[in-house]
Amino acid sequence: SAVISQKPSRDICQRGTSLTIQCQVDSQVTMMFWYRQQPGQSLTLIATANQGSEATYESGFVIDKFPISRPNLTFSTLTVSNMSPEDSSIYLCSVRQGREETQYFGPGTRLLVL
Amino acid sequence: AQSVTQPDIHITVSEGASLELRCNYSYGATPYLFWYVQSPGQGLQLLLKYFSGDTLVQGIKGFEAEFKRSQSSFNLRKPSVHWSDAAEYFCAVGGGTSYGKLTFGQGTILTVHP
């Protein structure tokens, strides 16, 4: 399975600022995903990021708030813009490998917005 | 639309006891089913998956799960729980026209008493 790393692992930010989260994979993958896990909640898909095309956002998530880049097959970034305390969550990236659509997850970025 | 229900929010068992975590899904086609585990402060680790074939699947750490199409269930089991199994467990469904997207259940928190 792919080895996935995320930076930063955690951060504390002030409201109104933005944070960019990086996701690096040790092999080339077509599909990458960004999830949000709010405190005590399950995972919610933010968007699907395919290399060479615009990210596809799920209902309730917009590009202005969560811009995503996917410059190559091993890297992606998610920016959380104009943050508010409600954005305090764990943000996880995942990659899809195999015909069974198995997703493997990074360790997550724990974000606290004050 | 696909959905996953984990009826038990929190389960407590004694070390050495058997464990069964319930998962029910709703999906219009043949599902791909997954169980993930999230230890405190960690990302998600894949325990096992069902794609096709044998309905009893074996995973890592001594876990197994059984796919029952008639009951739309994919329950996770372990014959003897270890203290290190204390974590949160997520069931997820994907496949078919989901285009790689997974839908997660709400999670079950497992507490293990010595």
Side-chain angles (χ1 to χ4, degrees):
Chain A
S1 62
V3 176
I4 305 165
S5 60
Q6 287 186 232
K7 289 181 181 179
S9 59
R10 60 180 66 241
D11 207 343
I12 301 173
C13 300
Q14 297 298 318
R15 68 172 68 211
T17 63
S18 298
L19 176 72
T20 295
I21 301 168
Q22 300 178 7
C23 180
Q24 180 76 51
V25 189
D26 69 342
S27 58
Q28 294 185 339
V29 293
T30 302
M31 298 185 77
M32 295 181 75
F33 305 86
W34 286 98
Y35 289 84
R36 181 176 72 182
Q37 186 179 21
Q38 294 177 299
Q41 302 295 315
S42 185
L43 282 77
T44 302
L45 181 63
I46 297 172
T48 303
N50 292 332
Q51 194 269 338
S53 63
E54 295 288 328
T56 303
Y57 289 83
E58 296 299 302
S59 176
F61 297 96
V62 295
I63 187 172
D64 289 346
K65 177 66 176 178
F66 297 102
I68 288 171
S69 77
R70 183 79 200 274
N72 57 53
L73 292 173
T74 63
F75 187 78
S76 178
T77 67
L78 169 76
T79 299
V80 186
S81 303
N82 188 24
M83 288 184 286
S84 67
E86 291 71 35
D87 294 318
S88 298
S89 295
I90 302 173
Y91 292 86
L92 300 109
C93 71
S94 73
V95 303
R96 173 189 169 189
Q97 284 192 321
R99 63 192 182 109
E100 303 93 345
E101 302 185 15
T102 302
Q103 288 189 26
Y104 298 94
F105 286 81
T109 295
R110 284 148 183 82
L111 172 61
L112 176 63
V113 184
L114 302 178
Chain B
Q2 60 199 54
S3 66
V4 178
T5 302
Q6 294 179 245
D8 304 306
I9 296 174
H10 196 168
I11 284 183
T12 300
V13 299
S14 298
E15 191 169 16
S18 63
L19 172 70
E20 183 170 31
L21 302 182
R22 296 184 289 166
C23 172
N24 293 97
Y25 68 90
S26 173
Y27 195 74
T30 300
Y32 301 160
L33 294 159
F34 308 86
W35 275 100
Y36 289 88
V37 61
Q38 185 177 37
S39 299
Q42 303 296 313
L44 270 70
Q45 181 181 22
L46 179 68
L47 282 176
L48 49 77
K49 60 187 177 184
Y50 172 77
F51 173 54
S52 65
D54 193 348
T55 56
L56 183 64
V57 295
Q58 302 297 319
I60 63 172
K61 304 185 179 186
F63 285 92
E64 66 177 26
E66 186 171 12
F67 170 58
K68 293 185 177 180
R69 185 186 300 275
S70 62
Q71 299 178 20
S72 297
S73 69
F74 188 57
N75 294 348
L76 182 71
R77 300 194 295 250
K78 186 170 185 179
S80 178
V81 172
H82 188 264
W83 64 266
S84 61
D85 294 323
E88 188 161 17
Y89 293 79
F90 291 95
C91 181
V93 65
T97 58
S98 67
Y99 301 108
K101 292 187 275 190
L102 293 182
T103 299
F104 284 83
Q106 284 300 106
T108 298
I109 297 172
L110 174 65
T111 298
V112 180
H113 281 165

